[in-house]
Amino acid sequence: MDYITLILLSVGLAMDCFAVSLAKAGCVGRVKVGGFLFMAIMFGLFQGLMPLIGYFIGNEFIDYIKDYDHCIAFAILAFIGGKMIWEDLFSKEDESCEVRNPYSVGTVILLSIATSIDALATGLVFLTAPDSLWRGIIIIGVGSFLISLIGSFTGAYAGQKLHFKFGVLGGVILIAIGVKIVIEHCCG
């Protein structure tokens, strides 16, 4: 696989990382370098590891999971998206993102899993191009890391300038990604 293909694959896989990072940083409304870095590192790690796992598990297990991966992805994304919407719409005015801590270990790990489930299937691509596996994993991981950081800083800046319900936006985006996964599975 050439570098351009691997970079495009990385960008495609990282779009949901961007959306979630944008929404979480918008909720906080200011730069939180530690939280931004932690989320970006975890997103990059999970996005890079999922294709590796898919590659090593192989066709048999992937074929078994393929029947249900869209349901798992949708359930996780709908739960997290619904929770983000609920918290943004129904939280008390004096309740800040510090209290809800959008960068807690548990929240970031759940978001990392939810945003990287689709990357699991990309491991099958590397079965036909094993010489590109490690290069691809690095590009996917680094790309997701960088795109997540861009989303975080963009969200922090926009959150300072605008009074917008970024939690609702992020929740809707996550649910839409889940719906898109189900539609692609059913129509593809």
Side-chain angles (χ1 to χ4, degrees):
M1 237 181 274
D2 62 62
Y3 281 103
I4 293 174
T5 302
L6 292 173
I7 290 168
L8 290 174
L9 178 63
S10 174
V11 170
L13 290 172
M15 283 297 97
D16 47 354
C17 297
F18 177 82
V20 172
S21 298
L22 179 83
K24 289 297 183 181
C27 175
V28 174
R30 66 181 188 284
V31 174
K32 289 190 70 153
V33 175
F36 293 1
L37 282 173
F38 177 60
M39 183 173 279
I41 289 168
M42 293 304 288
F43 281 0
L45 182 67
F46 274 78
Q47 290 284 5
L49 285 178
M50 286 298 192
L52 180 66
I53 292 168
Y55 176 80
F56 283 119
I57 291 174
N59 282 326
E60 295 303 315
F61 193 67
I62 293 299
D63 288 341
Y64 177 75
I65 292 293
K66 190 170 87 172
D67 293 339
Y68 305 102
D69 67 345
H70 60 288
C71 294
I72 295 167
F74 176 75
I76 291 171
L77 290 168
F79 174 77
I80 293 170
K83 185 174 184 283
M84 286 172 66
I85 292 169
W86 179 267
E87 287 177 351
D88 209 17
L89 291 176
F90 298 108
S91 65
K92 298 176 186 170
E93 287 298 317
D94 61 349
E95 185 180 356
S96 68
C97 289
E98 262 65 59
V99 174
R100 292 184 285 168
N101 192 5
Y103 300 107
S104 71
V105 173
T107 298
V108 171
I109 288 174
L110 276 175
L111 289 169
S112 298
I113 292 168
T115 57
S116 66
I117 287 175
D118 56 342
L120 183 68
T122 63
L124 292 175
V125 172
F126 294 108
L127 289 172
T128 60
D131 56 320
S132 299
L133 176 66
W134 294 106
R135 189 173 20 153
I137 287 168
I138 290 168
I139 290 171
I140 290 168
V142 170
S144 295
F145 169 81
L146 292 174
I147 290 171
S148 177
L149 276 181
I150 291 168
S152 292
F153 282 103
T154 302
Y157 175 76
Q160 291 172 354
K161 302 294 180 197
L162 304 170
H163 296 291
F164 186 77
K165 298 274 188 190
F166 281 94
V168 172
L169 174 64
V172 168
I173 289 170
L174 286 176
I175 293 169
I177 291 167
V179 169
K180 178 181 169 264
I181 289 169
V182 170
I183 289 171
E184 286 175 349
H185 177 81
C186 294
C187 298

